Amino acid sequence: MALTIYNTLAREKVIFTPIDAGKIRLYVCGMTVYDYCHIGHARVLISFDVIVRFLRSQGWDVEYVRNITDVDDKIINRAEENGESSEILAQRFIDAMHEDERALNILPPNQEPRATAHMDNIIAMVKTLINKNYAYVASNNDVYYRVGKFGNYGQLSGKKPDELMAGARVEVGDIKEDPRDFALWKAIDPSNVVGDGKNAPVSWESPWGAGRPGWHIECSAMSKSCLGNSFDIHGGGPDLPFPHHENEIAQSEAANGCKYVNYWLHAGAVRVDGEKMSKSLGNFFTIRDVLKKYHSEVIRYLIVNSHYRSSINYSEDNLIEAKSGLDRFYQTLKHYTDVEPAAIESLSDSVYYQHFVDSMNDDFNTRIALSGMYELIKTINTVAVDDAEKAKKLVAELKAMANILGVLQADPTEFLQAEDKTSQVVGLSIDVIETLISQRIQAKKDKQYQRADDIRQQLDDQGVLLEDSREGTAWRRK
C-alpha cells in the first residue's frame, strides 16, 4: 500500500509523492518557550515523533526540522514579571522541554532552529516582501504584509478574504492599510525600557529601525533556511491552520515565487473531561504535572492509541484505560525479556507486520496498528503453550513494531510493580510485598494453608495480585 496522508490543503487523503525520490523534508512548528509544555504540546510532539519513526523504518530519508520560538511578547512579558532577561527565561524552558521530551521517549529532530539565531534571514525575507510590494512600512516603522495582494489567501483554512474583511475591526488611528494585514516586523522605541530600567528593549537593528519580528515570518524564514524554498510536509497543532500557517504560505510564496509546501498535517486537539483545556477553567495540565502521577509510557500510549488527527479526551478514566492496555502487553512480555526486536527487513512475510505497515501507510493510523498488535499478543499467548520458539519469533515481531511507535520500552516487571501514584492510599512497598510473599511460601511449605490464603487476601486488598506458576510466585499491582 502506498503512503497516503490527509492533506489539510486538499481537505482529503491523498497519495504522497516526494519532491525528491526517497527523501522527505518535514517542518513542524515547535514551542514558544515561556512556560512548561502542557499535554496539548505532548500530543503534537509524540504524534510527529511516531510519524518520523515510521517513515524512517520504511526507508525514507527524513530531514525533520522543529523550530523554537524564543522571542515573543509572551516571553518578554513573563521575563519582566520575573525580573530576568528573556534569554535566560527562554533557555530555562527550552531545557525543561528537552527533559519532558526525553521522559516521553521523543527523539530529537535533525534541526531545531531558534528564531533569535535567524534574525538576518528574517530581515532579508521582510526586505524581499517590501521590494515586491507585498509589504509596507507603516508610519510607526512597523512592517505589515498586504493580505489583499496575495490572491490565494485563505487556501489552507478555507477562509475567504472578503469574509475576513467583513469581520475585521478598524480602530481609530489604525496604521494599517487594511485591517486584515498582519505584522512582519514590530518597531521598538529605543527610548523605552523594560522592567526596572536596567535592560534595553528586546530588539534587533533593521533597515526600518530597532524592532523584533512578527511570529509568522519567523517560521517562513527558518523553514527556508533549513529546508529550502519548497519542501514536502509542514505540520503543527490544531490551532495553527489560521492564521499562522495561512500567513506562512502568503509570506513564503510571495517572497520565493514558488509553492511553499505540498502537504499539510495537523494534529487533533486535547480536551480535558470533554472541555477545552484552559488555565481559566482550572483544567490545565503540564507534562510534568501528569508525570508525577503516571508512568511516562501511559501518557505516550494514551496519545498513540488515538489517530493523530482525532481529538483526545484527557481524563483519569482514559489514563487508567491506557495503563490497563499496557498491562496486557507487559503481562506477556515479562516472560520474554531476553528476546530482541526483529530486524525490519526480516518481516516481509509477517502478516502482523504487514497489517501494521498498511495501517500506518493509511494516514499514520496508530489506533488500527495497535489493534493488530493486541491480536498478536493473543496469538503469542496461545502459541506459547505448544511452541515456545514460535512464540519468541512473534514476540520479536511485536517488539519491532513497538519500537516504531516508541512504546513498550520499559522493564515489564518494573512497570507492572510500579506504585500507583494516583491512589489516595499509600501502597505497600516492594520490600513489604516480597516479605509477605516469602511468608506465604513458607506457610504453604508448613501446610498452613489458611495462613497462606490470608496473606494472598491481604495483598489483594492492598491492590497486589499474585500469580503462581511452576517457576514460583510473581506479582503485579492492579
Side-chain angles (χ1 to χ4, degrees):
M1 177 180 178
L3 175 62
T4 304
I5 62 178
Y6 184 88
N7 185 3
T8 307
L9 186 65
R11 294 170 182 75
E12 63 180 350
K13 284 198 287 189
V14 295
I15 294 175
F16 174 78
T17 302
I19 294 173
D20 298 315
K23 297 182 179 181
I24 296 177
R25 286 174 288 165
L26 166 66
Y27 184 95
V28 173
C29 287
M31 306 302 117
T32 299
V33 285
Y34 70 99
D35 206 343
Y36 293 112
C37 293
H38 55 66
I39 197 69
H41 295 140
R43 205 296 162 78
V44 175
L45 291 168
I46 291 172
S47 294
F48 284 99
D49 179 64
V50 170
I51 287 171
V52 170
R53 286 171 182 258
F54 171 70
L55 292 173
R56 287 174 175 161
S57 76
Q58 301 307 293
W60 291 99
D61 178 7
V62 182
E63 182 68 14
Y64 177 27
V65 180
R66 191 186 68 225
N67 77 292
I68 293 174
T69 296
D70 59 345
V71 55
D72 183 86
D73 290 345
K74 291 179 180 178
I75 297 172
I76 294 167
N77 293 338
R78 181 65 58 84
E80 277 191 61
E81 293 170 6
N82 294 351
E84 62 183 327
S85 73
S86 59
E87 293 86 355
I88 291 174
L89 180 135
Q91 187 60 54
R92 183 168 72 254
F93 286 119
I94 289 170
D95 293 341
M97 177 185 69
H98 289 157
E99 290 174 5
D100 291 342
E101 289 169 0
R102 288 190 291 270
L104 295 174
N105 192 27
I106 296 167
L107 300 176
N110 297 96
Q111 300 181 62
E112 195 175 50
R114 302 185 185 190
T116 54
H118 284 262
M119 209 54 61
D120 289 345
N121 296 324
I122 292 169
I123 292 171
M125 183 170 279
V126 174
K127 288 173 66 176
T128 297
L129 289 169
I130 292 173
N131 291 339
K132 288 188 171 186
N133 205 33
Y134 279 96
Y136 59 93
V137 182
S139 58
N140 68 343
N141 289 331
D142 285 351
V143 181
Y144 289 96
Y145 184 92
R146 283 191 173 98
V147 169
K149 186 172 172 60
F150 188 71
N152 289 326
Y153 194 81
Q155 60 183 296
L156 180 67
S157 62
K159 295 182 181 295
K160 297 179 180 179
D162 290 345
E163 293 174 354
L164 293 174
M165 174 68 83
R169 291 183 178 181
V170 179
E171 302 291 343
V172 176
D174 198 336
I175 58 175
K176 295 189 289 184
E177 295 178 351
D178 184 320
R180 300 169 300 179
D181 295 348
F182 58 88
L184 300 175
W185 188 261
K186 300 176 181 180
I188 301 294
D189 184 349
S191 65
N192 290 337
V193 293
V194 174
D196 58 8
K198 295 180 181 179
N199 300 312
V202 178
S203 62
W204 288 260
E205 287 300 322
S206 78
W208 321 284
R212 58 179 180 267
W215 176 36
H216 312 301
I217 195 68
E218 294 174 3
C219 283
S220 285
M222 286 187 281
S223 62
K224 177 178 181 178
S225 175
C226 295
L227 297 175
N229 291 346
S230 300
F231 53 95
D232 299 288
I233 302 174
H234 196 318
D239 55 335
L240 295 185
F242 185 85
H244 185 52
H245 287 165
E246 196 74 72
N247 291 349
E248 278 190 61
I249 293 173
Q251 294 163 160
S252 296
E253 295 191 358
N256 302 326
C258 59
K259 188 170 184 176
Y260 179 38
V261 173
N262 287 344
Y263 304 89
W264 290 84
L265 275 63
H266 293 95
V270 175
R271 301 182 70 81
V272 178
D273 291 323
E275 293 185 308
K276 181 179 179 180
M277 185 171 64
S278 168
K279 287 184 178 179
S280 62
L281 294 175
N283 64 355
F284 181 89
F285 298 99
T286 68
I287 294 172
R288 299 179 167 228
D289 292 334
V290 185
L291 287 174
K292 291 176 182 176
K293 297 178 65 176
Y294 291 94
H295 193 287
S296 60
E297 276 217 339
V298 173
I299 302 172
R300 187 174 180 104
Y301 186 88
L302 173 69
I303 292 171
V304 171
N305 197 31
S306 295
H307 188 277
Y308 79 93
R309 283 191 290 113
S310 67
S311 61
I312 290 179
N313 188 39
Y314 174 89
S315 67
E316 292 291 329
D317 288 344
N318 286 344
L319 285 164
I320 291 170
E321 183 181 342
K323 171 66 164 57
S324 297
L326 285 167
D327 283 346
R328 290 195 288 274
F329 281 110
Y330 280 125
Q331 275 291 97
T332 296
L333 291 178
K334 69 182 181 182
H335 302 296
Y336 301 97
T337 55
D338 59 334
V339 176
E340 294 295 323
I344 296 297
E345 55 270 19
S346 71
L347 300 178
S348 57
D349 295 330
S350 168
V351 294
Y352 294 101
Y353 179 68
Q354 191 57 54
H355 174 272
F356 179 89
V357 171
D358 287 347
S359 301
M360 294 297 288
N361 271 331
D362 184 12
D363 194 31
F364 312 109
N365 199 328
T366 52
R367 184 169 178 81
I368 301 302
L370 270 175
S371 71
M373 292 168 65
Y374 272 125
E375 293 302 315
L376 179 51
I377 276 287
K378 294 177 185 177
T379 301
I380 291 168
N381 292 334
T382 300
V383 167
V385 176
D386 299 314
D387 194 338
E389 289 306 310
K390 183 176 180 181
K392 288 182 179 180
K393 179 177 179 296
L394 293 175
V395 168
E397 293 182 19
L398 176 69
K399 288 187 176 183
M401 291 178 249
N403 282 355
I404 294 172
L405 299 182
V407 296
L408 306 181
Q409 305 298 301
D411 177 270
T413 299
E414 289 181 3
F415 183 89
L416 292 168
Q417 294 182 355
E419 186 174 350
D420 181 5
K421 298 177 184 178
T422 65
S423 175
Q424 299 296 318
V425 180
V426 178
L428 297 176
S429 68
I430 292 177
D431 288 343
V432 170
I433 294 169
E434 298 286 1
T435 298
L436 287 170
I437 290 174
S438 296
Q439 291 175 3
R440 178 173 176 268
I441 292 171
Q442 187 60 49
K444 291 172 73 174
K445 287 180 180 179
D446 296 339
K447 299 184 179 181
Q448 296 178 0
Y449 300 116
Q450 186 58 51
R451 168 63 177 156
D453 288 346
D454 289 344
I455 293 174
R456 174 188 280 275
Q457 188 60 52
Q458 179 185 353
L459 288 167
D460 187 81
D461 292 343
Q462 293 290 322
V464 178
L465 295 177
L466 301 186
E467 299 169 352
D468 293 322
S469 67
R470 294 176 182 177
E471 289 76 29
T473 300
W475 67 273
R476 65 182 178 88
R477 298 188 194 269
K478 293 182 182 180

